[in-house]
Amino acid sequence: MNLLPSHADVIAAAARLQGHAHRTPVLTSSILDRELQAEVFFKCENFQRMGAFKFRGAFNALSRFNAEQRKAGVVTFSSGNHAQAIALAASLLDIPATIIMPHDAPAAKVEATRGYGGRIICYDRYTEDREQIGRELAGREGLTLIPPYDHPDVISGQGTAAKELFDETGPLDALFVPLGGGGLLAGSALASRAMAPACRVYGVEPEAGNDGQQSLRRGSIVHIDTPVTLADGAQTQHLGQLTFPVIQRDVTDILTASDTELIEAMRFFASRMKLVVEPTGCLGLAAAHQMKSSLQGQRIGILVSGGNVDLDRYATLLKQ
């Protein structure tokens, strides 16, 4: 196994991202503060380039390519946000990009990925193995595979979002982070461990896909079938060989949220904060609502992972 990334890697990633990634805003809501009787800080990665935190890890990883890797190109697999991130980062660095996407990926994410110059190869997420497709394509065409989460440069890049949050707010009592494959959660945990060691770090995944929660309870990585959930950015089947040990060591607990709770959180963001947030990006707020009785008087951080949602679908969900 590769050595686990460290907070030093997060700091190095922040230097590489300087001038390339947006330093996204940290917003607050007096209404939510009163409701939770706490001080809540939202790190709004829906304002990041390509609309999600994924740009951080993608650019950090691709910026470390040597000349031969840059010429041959990169391949990845993703339901949308990592796809867009790799395509955009590759275009900025003049690297050819091939993206393996599920045929039912949100149309807005597919269109954006193609718009950034990515070559898209479709697969069936319920019957085909995207990781195998990626490995075979990398071997056949000499491409470098950068997976969505289980890569040290991706993890350390994602951790820069939490680093910026702590830079701005100082130590927090609790931090809620959306969880799919664990790149954002592992990176956030690395930042928290160094910058706010007393902070409780919670991963939050969709109720229908609680493989991370099961893994933390069991002490080993649990594999599940692709979950059916509105949180398409968290439709992963398992944590990574690198993300899991960091999560196991540094994360307090893993919580879940139902699709109904995600819709309620989307509605709150839209009506009270005027923010467009995709379902996956609502996981942290949904969990904070669940835990409000134990958060009173505390300073809370919530990572809003992205805002890439098809507008027609978004309108339909808000009407429910």
Side-chain angles (χ1 to χ4, degrees):
M1 181 186 294
N2 294 328
L3 291 177
L4 296 180
S6 67
H7 185 245
D9 296 311
V10 176
I11 294 173
R16 294 186 197 102
L17 289 167
Q18 186 71 34
H20 299 286
H22 296 324
R23 189 177 182 90
T24 53
V26 176
L27 302 181
T28 60
S29 166
S30 58
I31 293 174
L32 185 66
D33 285 355
R34 287 196 298 271
E35 180 184 346
L36 300 186
Q37 297 181 47
E39 195 173 3
V40 183
F41 302 92
F42 292 97
K43 179 61 171 171
C44 295
E45 286 294 288
N46 51 319
F47 290 115
Q48 186 53 261
R49 296 187 73 160
M50 48 69 51
F53 75 96
K54 291 282 191 178
F55 178 77
R56 296 174 181 272
F59 189 90
N60 185 51
L62 267 60
S63 67
R64 304 197 70 194
F65 276 21
N66 60 34
E68 183 179 347
Q69 288 175 305
R70 289 183 180 227
K71 182 178 179 180
V74 62
V75 61
T76 194
F77 41 83
S78 167
S79 63
N81 281 339
H82 182 68
Q84 294 173 76
I86 287 289
L88 175 56
S91 70
L92 294 173
L93 295 167
D94 198 25
I95 298 173
T98 299
I99 318 294
I100 301 163
M101 299 187 74
H103 66 76
D104 60 347
K109 295 183 178 182
V110 174
E111 182 180 351
T113 301
R114 187 174 287 115
Y116 290 133
R119 175 179 63 141
I120 296 176
I121 295 177
C122 294
Y123 79 102
D124 187 326
R125 74 165 92 217
Y126 299 104
T127 62
E128 295 182 283
D129 184 342
R130 65 181 191 172
E131 297 180 27
Q132 180 181 348
I133 296 171
R135 287 192 298 267
E136 291 176 352
L137 195 58
R140 187 165 62 247
E141 299 187 9
L143 310 176
T144 299
L145 176 63
I146 299 295
Y149 52 86
D150 207 28
H151 189 286
D153 293 333
V154 172
I155 294 169
S156 54
Q158 316 305 29
T160 61
K163 177 185 180 302
E164 290 177 7
L165 175 61
F166 288 120
D167 282 340
E168 185 160 339
T169 65
L172 298 170
D173 296 302
L175 177 65
F176 294 87
V177 184
L179 172 60
L184 181 61
L185 179 57
S188 299
L190 292 175
S192 179
R193 186 184 193 207
M195 303 176 71
C199 179
R200 305 184 307 280
V201 179
Y202 298 98
V204 191
E205 58 191 349
E207 191 175 77
N210 71 329
D211 60 289
Q213 187 181 65
Q214 292 183 56
S215 299
L216 196 62
R217 304 287 191 272
R218 182 178 297 181
S220 60
I221 298 174
V222 172
H223 292 246
I224 63 171
D225 293 333
T226 300
V228 178
T229 172
L230 294 177
D232 62 277
Q235 281 184 299
T236 48
Q237 296 176 299
H238 58 86
L239 299 177
Q241 294 297 320
L242 296 177
T243 60
F244 177 64
V246 175
I247 290 169
Q248 189 177 36
R249 182 190 67 194
D250 296 336
V251 170
T252 305
D253 199 3
I254 294 177
L255 313 171
T256 66
S258 68
D259 281 356
T260 298
E261 290 172 317
L262 296 183
I263 293 173
E264 291 173 356
M266 287 176 65
R267 191 174 292 117
F268 173 85
F269 280 125
S271 64
R272 297 299 188 178
M273 299 184 70
K274 315 309 174 189
L275 296 177
V276 175
V277 181
E278 62 186 281
T280 306
C282 294
L283 285 163
L285 175 57
H289 268 124
Q290 294 174 11
M291 291 186 63
K292 64 181 181 180
S293 62
S294 63
L295 299 178
Q296 295 178 11
Q298 299 184 23
R299 305 178 78 245
I300 310 302
I302 296 178
L303 271 169
V304 179
S305 57
N308 293 323
V309 58
D310 180 81
L311 290 182
D312 288 338
R313 181 170 181 257
Y314 179 71
T316 299
L317 291 175
L318 291 184
K319 290 177 183 178
Q320 291 185 17

